[in-house]
Amino acid sequence: MKTRLWACLAAGLLAEMTVGVPAALASARTAAGASAAPGPVSAVAELRALADYDTSGDPKAALRRIDAALAGARKAGAVDPVDRLMAEATRAEALFWMGRYKEALAGFRDFDAEMTARNQPMTPRRAEIVNNIGSALSSMGKLDEARTYKLRALELSETLAGRDSSEYAAALYGLALIDYRRGLPLEAIPKVQQAVTVATLASTRTGRNNESPAVYGITLSTLQIQAGDSTSAIAAARAAAIWADSHLGKEHRLTLATLNALGAALNDAGLYAQATPILRRALDLRMAKSDPDPRDLGYSLNAVAYALDLAGFSEDALGFYERSAEIFEKLPASDQPMSGANVFGQIARIVRDDGQIDRALALDRKALGMARRIAASPDDPEVLRAELSLAKLLLATGDIDAAQALLDHVNAAYARRALPTNLDRVAALALRAAVDARRGDPAAALAAAKPALEPLRSHLLDRTSAATGTIRLRDQAAGTFVLEARIAIAAGDRETAFDALQMAGMGDLQTAFTSVDAIADRYGPEANAAIRAYLSASAELRELHKQRDRALTRDRTGASPNESPDTTAERIAAAEENLRALDKRIGALVPGYASLTGFEPASLAAARSRLAPGQALLLYGQDAEGLVIMAVTRKAVTAAETPVPGRRLAELQRRLRASIEDGVLTDGKSAFDRDSAYQLYRLLFPQPIARALQESRDVAILAPGMLSALPFGALVTRPPTGDDADPQALRQTDWLARHHGVSTLVTAAPLARPGERHARSRGFAGIGAPLLPRGGTESWTNSLESALAGLPELPGAAQELQAMARSFHGERQVLVGAGATEAAVKAAPLSAAGVIAFATHGLVGGAYRNLVEPALVLTPAPGSDGSEDGLLTASEIARLNLDADWVILSACDTSAGESENAPTYSGLARAFVAAGARALLLSHWPVRDDVASRMTLRTVRAAHGRTSRAEALRRAQMTVLGDTHVPGGAHPATWAPFVLVGE
């Protein structure tokens, strides 16, 4: 028997069935007894060959071959009826893979009926057809009838082939998919896990049914995504991809499906940089086929679009979405997959961000119409998502009654089927509250919104929650928290708005640096014991979760569990409570523990109390409506909103970035796009905010994603005059840096620093210019190593560090080239350095496989056991013993800000603070050697007494800007590369 599946990963739509193998054919033919005389040898041989024909790879080609063989057999005359029946069953399988479920069901039933009419005994092949009947019924939404066939197939397969057979795995898998379609993915997961295990062992043992482990692995990954377990989903998809690649071949349809599954799992975990090349590879292989299946192409195009979209490249994604939508729309209505509705909804969102409201409305309505037509229930998840999307747009356009009608249905459905932490449920409740706000009752709206968002907020902040679960929600939840901020501002509740904006920006922070172990041995034996107890309790909780999953598997398969599910649940709850208690204990022993190892929103009152006169906090939130901005000073809290399409804001930032990159390439001799810089200023600093900041010399900014990488000092506060390429006009420009010293916050809450500070250190340490490996091969199974081999050299880094070292007094340490290894850095007396500079590449956590936290690239140690891999990760940085006033990261972030969702280096900042650094200077693009040493030296020397670090950096910038002897010094590419990160 062969078991195959096609998964539409973008929409989570699963399909499955089983087909026959030679052993089953032999037993069926033996049972058939005497038969009619065979026809010509060629016709008989071709017909018999079809019994083992894999139709999943290219079902259209398979159907043509089968029809030709059946026609040849009819023309030849009498043939063995079993051979004919087997060929017709294989034909039904091809129809199934083409999505023609009704025709496939008729073929399967005809086979079963004719075998019954001939009084044939039950054989493995007949049991497979029973299973296939259930599969077709399940795919058609007839779940009750399908379950009857699946249970019968499970019993027959156990009797005929045993519980360790591929037949048993297939029947168990079919039951799991019925659970899924009933909205019970957690019930389905243990069945699919067992099916994967059984099928893999059976296929390895017999050499047959090699498709099964890949099929079940795809489904397992998809279900784990829905359950919020991204880590397990990636592992399942990667195992399926490796199996398919080695057992089915690189161009097999299922191999390509496993790549799509792996890409989807990586997307779900936020690892977009890993997902996109994998999904593009699958798309390229499909397009290279002479007659590609249009549904497969549609799925692949959609998957690539989704990866680009999540990574923030929505403009690039749009073309892929539109090609996918065109394919799905051309399919017959009966063959259109639910993912078609999803694709139209995604296009609607993107064009809405571009300000095309009427087109977005039409697309959302089309998506909802398609979802309702395809779905078996009005409460189907895709129907609810389409209704939610349309309601959001209707509310934005002022059609409040229509929006409320949709939201009332969505909320009623989610109340029955979704947990309180389900993001769609929370978003729908928040939107319903926004309806009340639009009707003129913001107080009532906030009273409804706060309890609706509280379960999600608590889940994201709960330190016992799996990190993968919070990663999955981080970006998607931002817009809902921004909506809460809007409602709170309308209701006059600035405290709630302040909290909501911090939650909206938590994405980078949540996964930046969360290693409890990294701060062990720094706060005394009592704290160390509490940390060790916490780590042990965390491991115990993970094991309990595994025990629960194993118990569910045994329960579903008839084995006796060691304890009842209720008992396991009670033990998990107790373990979670113990973990929270230990977490609280560490917090009492380690100052600032919560902010060092996780994310903790600050209260508005606490944030204001820490501000000195002349200082301000500036928070940004962004959603589909535009920007929500809050300026906080000791005297006042000011909020404002800027309506702006997301695409417009991103385009202005890209223009600014492109202008800076031109300046880098020309050493500041090219033009700078001051008009875009001025337009950005007007959007980011509307008049109420600009007025609120007039008396604030220092402004600390907390902004999400792409905004956090914006060089705020290079914004233009008045309409520019003169030529953009004229140095004199640039020097006379009213830059934001003329009025404010700007710093970037890691968090609005204070970050504690470990231990007692020593006398002020005066030395300098320079580290960088690593020697990188060369000759790596591109591979989706080894992406990090390949990426390191592909990083460009930094020819000026060593000279930059040497020049900086000559500018500082005291002890000087310079580790470059072959000397810039992890071991050398960890062994160096860095606590003697008041200034530490890194001139190397920085990698964002999640950008490559196995890199789950940000890291600085060093020289890999030759012949090491893997512990010295050349990556100084955030956790390793946090273990360093520093006493530095400044850490300078130069030329390490040349890719930041390229997309709307570009992650920042907040993880590195938090790690250096944990290690003992007091502030960071981080460059967003390569810095000229002559400018780097000059600016850093002036900034470091000026930051003392009443001169803040932000003001010191501002003065250094203005010095370079005004110096006519600095070539290209008037261009922001020269004077504005550094951003101050810290309090």
Side-chain angles (χ1 to χ4, degrees):
M1 182 200 74
K2 296 181 180 177
T3 308
R4 306 182 179 103
L5 163 144
W6 171 249
C8 172
L9 294 164
L13 180 64
L14 307 173
E16 42 74 39
M17 69 171 196
T18 59
V19 297
V21 296
L25 170 61
S27 61
R29 293 185 71 246
T30 300
S35 59
V41 173
S42 59
V44 172
E46 172 67 3
L47 206 61
R48 289 181 176 176
L50 296 177
D52 192 34
Y53 188 22
D54 176 10
T55 64
S56 67
D58 189 345
K60 288 197 300 183
L63 186 63
R64 290 193 296 268
R65 176 181 171 183
I66 295 166
D67 284 345
L70 287 171
R74 285 191 293 269
K75 183 177 180 180
V79 295
D80 189 319
V82 172
D83 289 338
R84 175 183 57 79
L85 286 172
M86 290 295 177
E88 289 175 348
T90 305
R91 183 180 190 277
E93 293 156 5
L95 292 170
F96 185 97
W97 288 118
M98 294 170 65
R100 294 160 64 174
Y101 303 127
K102 187 175 181 179
E103 296 171 74
L105 177 61
F108 294 142
R109 279 182 161 158
D110 286 347
F111 174 93
D112 191 43
E114 189 164 344
M115 294 294 284
T116 300
R118 292 173 175 272
N119 295 317
Q120 299 302 315
M122 182 56 65
T123 63
R125 180 53 168 163
R126 286 194 63 187
E128 291 165 5
I129 296 303
V130 171
N131 194 36
N132 288 352
I133 293 172
S135 299
L137 290 167
S138 177
S139 297
M140 295 168 65
K142 299 180 179 182
L143 302 183
D144 290 337
E145 190 176 359
R147 183 173 178 80
T148 300
Y149 278 95
K150 289 293 183 181
L151 287 171
R152 182 183 169 205
L154 185 68
E155 181 181 352
L156 289 170
S157 63
E158 182 174 3
T159 301
L160 295 168
R163 293 168 66 96
D164 60 349
S165 65
S166 295
E167 290 84 355
Y168 185 83
L172 187 65
Y173 172 74
L175 283 171
L177 291 191
I178 293 176
D179 286 338
Y180 162 76
R181 292 190 173 104
R182 289 184 184 277
L184 302 171
L186 295 180
E187 296 288 319
I189 287 174
K191 294 187 180 74
V192 181
Q193 287 174 324
Q194 185 183 8
V196 170
T197 301
V198 172
T200 302
L201 292 173
S203 182
T204 302
R205 184 176 64 250
T206 65
R208 300 188 290 109
N209 309 321
N210 287 332
E211 297 89 347
S212 299
V215 167
Y216 305 160
I218 292 172
T219 303
L220 179 59
S221 178
T222 304
L223 293 173
Q224 286 167 333
I225 287 174
Q226 294 194 2
D229 188 354
S230 298
T231 301
S232 296
I234 292 171
R238 181 168 278 124
I242 292 172
W243 175 275
D245 188 77
S246 60
H247 290 79
L248 303 177
K250 297 183 182 300
E251 297 185 7
H252 192 281
R253 188 172 184 239
L254 283 176
T255 303
L256 304 185
T258 61
L259 294 179
N260 264 11
L262 179 55
L266 291 167
N267 274 338
D268 186 71
L271 307 180
Y272 315 130
Q274 294 184 46
T276 303
I278 292 171
L279 294 170
R280 282 185 180 273
R281 177 189 175 196
L283 175 61
D284 290 343
L285 289 171
R286 280 186 169 136
M287 294 186 70
K289 290 180 176 291
S290 58
D291 186 19
D293 183 278
R295 285 163 56 100
D296 287 356
L297 274 183
Y299 294 143
S300 263
L301 288 164
N302 187 20
V304 171
Y306 194 57
L308 291 169
D309 197 1
L310 288 173
F313 298 99
S314 58
E315 188 172 354
D316 295 334
L318 181 60
F320 289 94
Y321 277 137
E322 288 176 333
R323 290 166 63 192
S324 176
E326 182 181 1
I327 289 173
F328 289 144
E329 197 168 22
K330 286 181 179 179
L331 293 172
S334 59
D335 292 345
Q336 289 178 344
M338 185 63 82
S339 57
N342 182 276
V343 171
F344 282 113
Q346 301 292 3
I347 297 173
R349 176 182 47 77
I350 293 175
V351 301
R352 178 197 178 177
D353 288 345
D354 198 29
Q356 302 177 49
I357 304 301
D358 290 340
R359 186 185 174 199
L361 275 170
L363 286 164
D364 267 334
R365 288 192 169 105
K366 177 180 285 189
L368 179 56
M370 182 179 290
R372 284 174 171 170
R373 185 179 68 251
I374 297 172
S377 164
D379 290 351
D380 184 277
E382 289 302 320
V383 174
L384 298 179
R385 291 191 188 99
E387 289 180 340
L388 180 58
S389 179
L390 179 57
K392 189 182 301 182
L393 191 51
L394 290 170
L395 182 60
T397 57
D399 194 345
I400 298 176
D401 291 339
Q404 181 175 336
L406 289 171
L407 289 170
D408 286 345
H409 172 250
V410 171
N411 283 320
Y414 279 135
R416 293 190 297 268
R417 63 177 297 149
L419 294 173
T421 54
N422 179 276
L423 183 58
D424 287 335
R425 176 178 177 175
V426 174
L429 289 170
L431 280 171
R432 182 60 182 84
V435 168
D436 291 338
R438 293 290 178 91
R439 293 191 188 280
D441 195 353
L446 186 59
K450 287 183 69 174
L453 272 88
E454 182 54 35
L456 178 60
R457 182 184 185 278
S458 297
H459 175 68
L460 291 173
L461 297 178
D462 187 353
R463 302 161 81 81
T464 67
S465 298
T468 51
T470 55
I471 292 171
R472 186 170 183 257
L473 294 174
R474 61 179 186 176
D475 295 327
Q476 300 169 14
T480 301
F481 283 111
V482 173
L483 178 58
E484 183 188 25
R486 291 182 184 277
I487 296 172
I489 290 170
D493 187 341
R494 298 294 195 263
E495 180 72 54
T496 297
F498 185 71
D499 182 271
L501 288 176
Q502 291 177 80
M503 293 298 300
M506 75 176 294
D508 291 330
L509 299 171
Q510 180 66 22
T511 57
F513 169 60
T514 56
S515 175
V516 178
D517 185 53
I519 61 171
D521 303 319
R522 312 281 297 271
Y523 295 89
E526 189 176 0
N528 184 52
I531 290 170
R532 297 304 171 196
Y534 179 94
L535 295 172
S536 176
S538 296
E540 180 184 353
L541 180 59
R542 289 193 297 270
E543 182 58 32
L544 284 172
H545 283 300
K546 293 178 182 178
Q547 290 179 17
R548 178 192 60 188
D549 293 342
R550 288 194 293 267
L552 284 170
T553 302
R554 286 191 296 266
D555 184 53
R556 301 294 177 256
T557 57
S560 299
N562 294 328
E563 63 183 20
S564 70
D566 289 343
T567 301
T568 303
E570 290 172 0
R571 292 180 63 199
I572 289 174
E576 289 176 344
E577 188 60 33
N578 179 47
L579 201 60
R580 293 188 185 98
L582 288 168
D583 188 74
K584 185 176 181 180
R585 174 64 176 158
I586 299 172
L589 296 169
V590 178
Y593 157 74
S595 65
L596 278 176
T597 60
F599 175 74
E600 183 180 43
S603 71
L604 180 58
R608 293 181 70 183
S609 69
R610 291 193 301 273
L611 293 174
Q615 293 182 331
L617 288 176
L618 189 58
L619 282 72
Y620 288 93
Q622 184 178 0
D623 62 7
E625 302 297 317
L627 295 170
V628 177
I629 311 163
M630 179 174 285
V632 180
T633 66
R634 286 183 68 93
K635 293 182 179 180
V637 178
T638 304
E641 299 180 22
T642 300
V644 56
R647 183 79 68 84
R648 172 62 176 163
L649 191 63
E651 178 58 29
L652 288 172
Q653 293 177 81
R654 288 196 186 99
R655 289 182 190 175
L656 199 70
R657 181 76 183 195
S659 191
I660 286 172
E661 289 174 352
D662 287 343
V664 171
L665 294 173
T666 62
D667 285 333
K669 297 176 183 178
S670 59
F672 180 74
D673 189 351
R674 292 180 297 164
D675 182 62
S676 292
Y678 176 60
Q679 292 183 56
L680 272 172
Y681 172 79
R682 295 183 63 189
L683 293 172
L684 296 168
F685 293 82
Q687 287 189 4
I689 299 298
R691 286 195 299 267
L693 297 176
Q694 282 179 347
E695 298 180 7
S696 299
R697 196 62 172 173
D698 291 352
V699 178
I701 297 175
L702 187 62
M706 194 174 180
L707 279 177
S708 66
L710 184 70
F712 279 86
L715 298 182
V716 177
T717 64
R718 293 182 183 178
T721 59
D723 190 339
D724 283 350
D726 180 9
Q728 186 61 24
L730 293 177
R731 288 192 175 92
Q732 293 176 351
T733 299
D734 196 21
W735 304 105
L736 182 73
R738 294 192 186 278
H739 305 279
H740 304 290
V742 177
S743 61
T744 297
L745 285 179
V746 174
T747 172
L751 289 177
R753 301 180 182 90
E756 294 294 328
R757 296 294 96 202
H758 305 100
R760 188 175 181 187
S761 304
R762 296 290 183 179
F764 172 84
I767 302 161
L771 299 179
L772 301 174
R774 291 291 173 243
T777 57
E778 189 71 23
S779 169
W780 53 266
T781 61
N782 196 25
S783 56
L784 176 58
E785 291 77 2
S786 300
L788 290 177
L791 289 173
E793 299 287 352
L794 297 171
Q799 294 89 332
E800 174 188 337
L801 291 171
Q802 295 288 358
M804 292 174 68
R806 289 191 293 269
S807 301
F808 289 94
H809 300 294
E811 182 180 351
R812 286 171 284 190
Q813 310 169 58
V814 179
L815 303 174
V816 296
T821 64
E822 283 186 79
V825 171
K826 293 172 182 177
L830 297 180
S831 61
V835 177
I836 303 173
F838 287 85
T840 184
H841 294 286
L843 301 180
V844 175
Y848 304 101
R849 182 188 170 203
N850 297 333
L851 182 63
V852 297
E853 55 182 330
L856 294 175
V857 176
L858 299 177
T859 300
S864 71
D865 59 1
S867 60
E868 302 295 327
D869 57 4
L871 294 178
L872 189 65
T873 64
S875 295
E876 291 173 319
I877 290 168
R879 294 187 180 96
L880 298 175
N881 182 25
L882 307 183
D883 187 14
D885 289 318
W886 295 90
V887 169
I888 300 166
L889 306 182
S890 179
C892 70
D893 193 9
T894 56
S895 65
E898 291 181 353
S899 73
E900 292 95 325
N901 298 334
T904 69
Y905 279 85
S906 58
L908 293 177
R910 291 154 70 90
F912 276 112
V913 169
R918 288 177 276 283
L920 286 86
L921 272 183
L922 182 141
S923 69
H924 283 312
W925 55 84
V927 190
R928 279 173 24 193
D929 297 347
D930 59 327
V931 174
S933 57
R934 176 175 176 174
M935 287 193 67
T936 54
L937 181 62
R938 285 182 176 272
T939 300
V940 170
R941 288 180 175 175
H944 61 85
R946 294 195 174 189
T947 303
S948 68
R949 291 185 174 91
E951 174 62 14
L953 175 61
R954 189 194 73 80
R955 291 179 185 179
Q957 291 172 331
M958 292 299 97
T959 299
V960 173
L961 170 63
D963 191 342
T964 58
H965 295 97
V966 176
H971 197 292
T974 304
W975 62 262
F978 288 106
V979 60
L980 173 65
V981 179
E983 296 182 79

